[in-house]
Each structure stands twice: as C-alpha cells, then as structure tokens.
Amino acid sequence: MSELSIFVDESGDLGEMSRYYLVAFIVHDQADDIERTVSLYERALHDKNLDDLPFHFGPLLTGHEHYESMEIDARKQYLAAFRIFAEQSPYLYHPFIYRKKAFGNDTDRLLRALKMDLANFLADNLAFFQQFDKVKVYYDNGQSEVTHILHDAIEFALSKEAIVYRIVSPADYRLFQLADYICGIELTAAKYERGTSTKTDEAFFGGSSNFKKNYLKKIRRKRLGETAV
C-alpha cells in the first residue's frame, strides 16, 4: 500500500503581530527512506558537540526557548546542519504566503484566500495525490480556523477513506521540524524581497544575494506546484 505523509506548519499569526502569514505543506512519499539523512543530521550534531534539540527556526535565530543561553556561533551551526538535512532529504513542499496588509488585516478575507488557494493547489496536483492509497496529514492544531480549512479542502479533493489526521508535536517528527524550516526560509525570502529584512536575518544569512544562493535557490528545487502569494 502506497502512503503519503503531509506535514503542515505555519509562521506568523492571524492577528496584528506579524506582517506575513505562511502555511507550508511538506509531502513525503513513505517509500522514500529518510532514515539516512536523519542519521547524517544527528551525526553532524554529535560531531559538533551540539545537543539534539527539536529544530525551531524563529527561536533559533532570536535566541529564545531552547537556544536562550546559546551563543550565535552555536546557533549558526544548528542552522547549517539542518540546512544540509533539508537539502538532501526526499520530499516536496509548497508554501502559501500572504502579506496581511494586502487583506487590510482582515482575518476572514485571508482565511478565505487560504482555503481557495489550498483547494486550487490540490486540484492542480490531483494526479500526484491520488496515486497514493493512503494520505496521512500531520498538524499541531495551532490555529483552529486552519484545522477546519485543512479538513474541508483535503476531504473535498481526496477520498475521506484515504486520509488519516494526526496531531503532532515538532519534537516527534523531523519532517514537522522541516516544515518549520521551510516556513522560516520562505518568510525570510519575503522579507528580503520587500526590503524588510532584520539585523538578525543579516547576521545569519548575509545579504539578499548570499541568502538566495546558499539557502533559497537550493530549497526551492523541491517545490511542488506554484507558490500562492
């Protein structure tokens, strides 16, 4: 039986705390072994004398949560190790990216756009999704509105019998951490594109050209379909 895993994560909020709101879809054919790249990533952490922490893009850059007492050089090593894992692992992804100002900070309008974009994305790639006997969707239920949109759009496009929903924690799955990484990279790309990058972005990625060459260009080789903006 062929199985597809979909890991969903988001960046930003639906209120007024952030300029952007992103949702990232990671799709992984379970026939493609990911254990090799996981092992290589864990070995890289061990060789660098770094603890095996659940990767969390935002706090890593800002030095919060697990990274609170960590020097920036150590945090850069975490990012470098995870970047290699992200580039070498077998998966595809699709980001949904929204600049909230374009919706007048109207949450309902933004959610309607997300629902429509998700439905169109599934329809455009229906042949890809329907080749699998079972589709498992992993999400942490971060936003209840997004949970409903995921259920409605996926169940409309795919057979309900083929779908299994699982609530997860980032610590449980490397691919859920990967969805967080994708959100972070795509958010950073949006900031560089609009000239709103921060000193923290510059400290970790350098200028726009360096970021595109060493991070964005390599990760976008794995995109499935077109980016919704």
Side-chain angles (χ1 to χ4, degrees):
M1 176 180 290
S2 59
E3 294 187 5
L4 181 75
S5 295
I6 301 177
F7 290 82
V8 183
D9 198 21
E10 57 202 335
S11 178
D13 64 277
L14 293 173
E16 300 179 358
M17 296 298 293
S18 61
R19 292 182 178 181
Y20 301 93
Y21 181 70
L22 292 83
V23 177
F25 257 49
I26 301 291
V27 296
H28 173 239
D29 183 345
Q30 292 191 7
D32 295 330
D33 185 18
I34 199 172
E35 290 305 315
R36 184 186 71 85
T37 52
V38 169
S39 296
L40 289 173
Y41 171 64
E42 293 173 352
R43 178 61 183 269
L45 295 182
H46 178 269
D47 291 346
K48 296 173 185 292
N49 294 315
L50 299 172
D51 293 331
D52 189 354
L53 303 172
F55 183 87
H56 198 176
F57 190 94
L60 174 67
L61 266 60
T62 58
H64 294 147
E65 295 183 6
H66 298 299
Y67 314 99
E68 188 168 1
S69 59
M70 197 177 296
E71 296 294 331
I72 189 171
D73 286 344
R75 288 184 277 133
K76 285 183 176 181
Q77 290 184 66
Y78 272 108
L79 181 63
F82 202 88
R83 180 187 69 176
I84 294 173
F85 168 70
E87 292 171 0
Q88 295 182 346
S89 294
Y91 67 93
L92 295 170
Y93 84 93
H94 185 86
F96 300 89
I97 308 170
Y98 303 95
R99 188 165 59 100
K100 294 194 296 187
K101 186 178 180 180
F103 297 89
N105 291 317
D106 186 330
T107 299
D108 290 338
R109 281 182 60 199
L110 191 157
L111 289 172
R112 286 196 297 271
L114 173 60
K115 185 173 183 178
M116 180 179 66
D117 291 342
L118 177 55
N120 289 337
F121 166 70
L122 292 171
D124 290 343
N125 296 279
L126 196 57
F128 170 81
F129 289 102
Q130 289 189 335
Q131 68 181 302
F132 297 95
D133 299 310
K134 180 175 290 187
V135 177
K136 297 180 179 179
V137 182
Y138 299 80
Y139 178 57
D140 67 354
N141 278 3
Q143 304 275 359
S144 60
E145 299 94 339
V146 176
T147 300
H148 293 309
I149 288 173
L150 288 172
H151 278 260
D152 292 345
I154 293 175
E155 290 179 2
F156 178 79
L158 307 176
S159 168
K160 292 183 180 180
E161 288 74 18
I163 302 167
V164 177
Y165 290 94
R166 295 186 178 180
I167 301 173
V168 297
S169 166
D172 296 334
Y173 296 93
R174 293 293 185 196
L175 287 176
F176 195 66
Q177 296 169 38
L178 180 59
D180 172 77
Y181 175 84
I182 294 296
C183 276
I185 292 298
E186 290 290 351
L187 172 60
T188 303
K191 290 192 290 182
Y192 272 116
E193 181 180 348
R194 297 187 178 276
T196 58
S197 60
T198 66
K199 291 183 179 179
T200 299
D201 297 325
E202 301 288 335
F204 277 87
F205 305 110
S208 176
S209 296
N210 187 69
F211 169 74
K212 289 179 180 179
K213 177 182 177 181
N214 295 316
Y215 289 87
L216 187 63
K217 184 177 179 180
K218 295 178 180 180
I219 207 70
R220 281 193 170 171
R221 294 170 183 167
K222 295 180 176 289
R223 283 198 305 180
L224 173 65
E226 297 296 325
T227 306
V229 179

